[in-house]
Amino acid sequence: VIAIFILLIACINFMNYTTAHSTRRAHEVGMRKVLGAYRKQLVAQFLGESVLTSFISLVVALILAWLIMPFFYQYLGKPFFLNYSDTVFLISSIVGIGLLTGLISGIYPALFLSGFKPLLILKGSFSSKKTKNVLRKGLVVFQFSVSVFLFIATLIVYNQLNYMKNYELGFDEDQLLVLNSSLSQSLGADYDAYTNKLLENPRIKAVTNSSALPGLGGGGDLYTQVDGSADDGFQLSEAYGDLNFTDVLGLDLIAGRKFSEDIALDQGIPDETGRVREVSVILNEEAVARFGWSSPQEALGKQIVRDPNAIDFTGTVVGVVRNFNYQSLHNPIQPLAIISQPNYRFIAVKLDPTDMQSTISFIDEVTSEFNPELTFEYSFLDQNLQQQYEEEQRTSEVFSYISFLAIFITSLGLFGLATFVTQQKTKEIGIRKVLGANTTEILLDYVKSFVMLVFISFLLGMPLAYFVGSDWLSDFPFRIDIGFEIYLLAATFTFIIAFLTIGYQTYKATHINPVEALKGD
């Protein structure tokens, strides 16, 4: 859709240029008609010129695309590949784009120029200036409306991405090193020894293990209250972790207590077969609400059952933490249970920010002692979380490039039109200067008519950007409000671009010597 917008802007630029410079070809049309040329011959000529220009541009575009595509694929993280299996379709599509662009660009100018009447042309009054002005103004309004839409859309995407990057997730993700799951699974009974060895380094604050970390792993099952039935149950996300799991993540405890090694229930109480049947559980606020308890304090001491049909274990609620985003911000916060049972899938190491590279080297050495064959791999939790928004990051950047391209193309068209208008008004400007008008008055007089067109464009593009932006934001449970400042920034930027584009040409025209201006060509 965006590519079509850009193509339309380019086509409109060509139409605007051709109709604006129609007076320069009027006499050619008049003479050819007097000499016997038919209108269809003139239409064919002008369409041919437009299509030829389009195909020359197409060749240049193909060369540029061929040079840029490898970098674009590299940016997307994909191998550069072109499918030549259907060469006929590929070639016909390219030719069709060139032909369609030429026809769209040239159809109106061809009909417009070929419709001039020879008698009126030779008398010097061959067209309705009002009609041409209305057309050109309409095309300018459309161009800038598209540009305003793309620019506001870019600001919305950028602000939403920035909002997600800086959103307070409800836990401490900084300086949290995550070791690969192969290590945690290979340690087994050596986990405590491995942890104690790491903690000998004063720059390592804490170590924990769990079945899931925010943005990594996870699972869940059907849970009910102890006396509830399976029909009353709901899917509850789970994070099995050791006793200091909540401390390492810096979760905000709002009721009850944390896990403790001095309490038997927190260690897990097994049955006669050795299988753990009773555990301590810490819930988040969403889970408390889903169970139907009115407050975190009411939830304390309540018992819940994992899988009421099989009764895997019974969990006693010992604490409640404030809601935190353990999933991507694309998802609303789900009910969660933190269960006091170690699960050696992810090992998370809390580091001191000073001399982190030396600390990581120390962890590598310790890991090699316990498992020499394992390749040491790690990541930082905050970096893992940011990778969840790569698609939005790329969308933001692509929108930025495209919107600025659209504004640039639109500005080129406006620049050309302003050049033509000021050339037509050169004598008028000379007369006004002779009669005492200063440069500022003339500049503002000519600029304000174009600025009014840009203002109309903004009024048209703004609602479309709002509705499309609101629809896109509706996919995010945590999202920005499209505030007034976005429209103010878009309006300011658009008007500055328009003023500079038009003002430059008008300023040049006002500094021509009035004597030279009145002489004409």
Side-chain angles (χ1 to χ4, degrees), residues 146-265:
V146 173
S147 298
V148 166
F149 163 75
L150 291 175
F151 188 71
I152 294 177
T154 300
L155 291 178
I156 292 173
V157 173
Y158 172 80
N159 284 355
Q160 174 64 20
L161 180 63
N162 192 55
Y163 174 79
M164 291 192 296
K165 282 183 176 180
N166 297 296
Y167 186 81
E168 183 59 50
L169 298 175
F171 63 91
D172 184 10
E173 75 271 24
D174 294 330
Q175 287 84 48
L176 198 61
L177 190 76
V178 181
L179 304 180
N180 62 326
S181 57
S182 300
L183 168 63
S184 58
Q185 293 170 2
S186 67
L187 287 173
D190 293 331
Y191 173 77
D192 289 337
Y194 176 78
T195 300
N196 293 332
K197 185 71 173 178
L198 290 181
L199 292 174
E200 292 177 3
N201 190 318
R203 289 189 295 271
I204 295 179
K205 297 180 177 180
V207 182
T208 189
N209 72 83
S210 61
S211 65
L213 288 170
L216 297 171
D221 207 325
L222 188 70
Y223 278 78
T224 65
Q225 297 188 47
V226 165
D227 298 327
S229 65
D231 294 335
D232 299 325
F234 63 92
Q235 192 73 14
L236 184 64
S237 298
E238 301 167 322
Y240 293 86
D242 61 9
L243 300 178
N244 66 340
F245 178 78
T246 57
D247 288 328
V248 173
L249 286 183
L251 301 182
D252 186 10
L253 188 73
I254 58 176
R257 62 174 179 83
K258 301 175 183 178
F259 299 136
S260 171
E261 61 182 7
D262 299 326
I263 299 177
L265 184 64

Side-chain angles (χ1 to χ4, degrees), residues 27-92:
H27 291 288
E28 174 193 344
V29 173
M31 291 301 298
R32 292 194 61 185
K33 282 196 170 185
V34 168
L35 294 175
Y38 292 104
R39 184 176 184 182
K40 63 181 180 181
Q41 293 174 315
L42 296 173
V43 170
Q45 174 194 343
F46 293 125
L47 280 179
E49 292 174 358
S50 176
V51 171
L52 178 61
T53 302
S54 175
F55 273 102
I56 294 174
S57 303
L58 181 64
V59 172
V60 176
L62 287 173
I63 295 173
L64 292 175
W66 181 259
L67 294 174
I68 294 173
M69 285 296 283
F71 299 101
F72 182 70
Y73 271 77
Q74 184 179 3
Y75 167 74
L76 294 177
K78 298 180 179 180
F80 178 47
F81 174 73
L82 289 177
N83 184 10
Y84 294 102
S85 59
D86 194 348
T87 308
V88 175
F89 175 77
L90 180 64
I91 294 176
S92 61

Side-chain angles (χ1 to χ4, degrees), residues 10 120 436:
L120 294 178

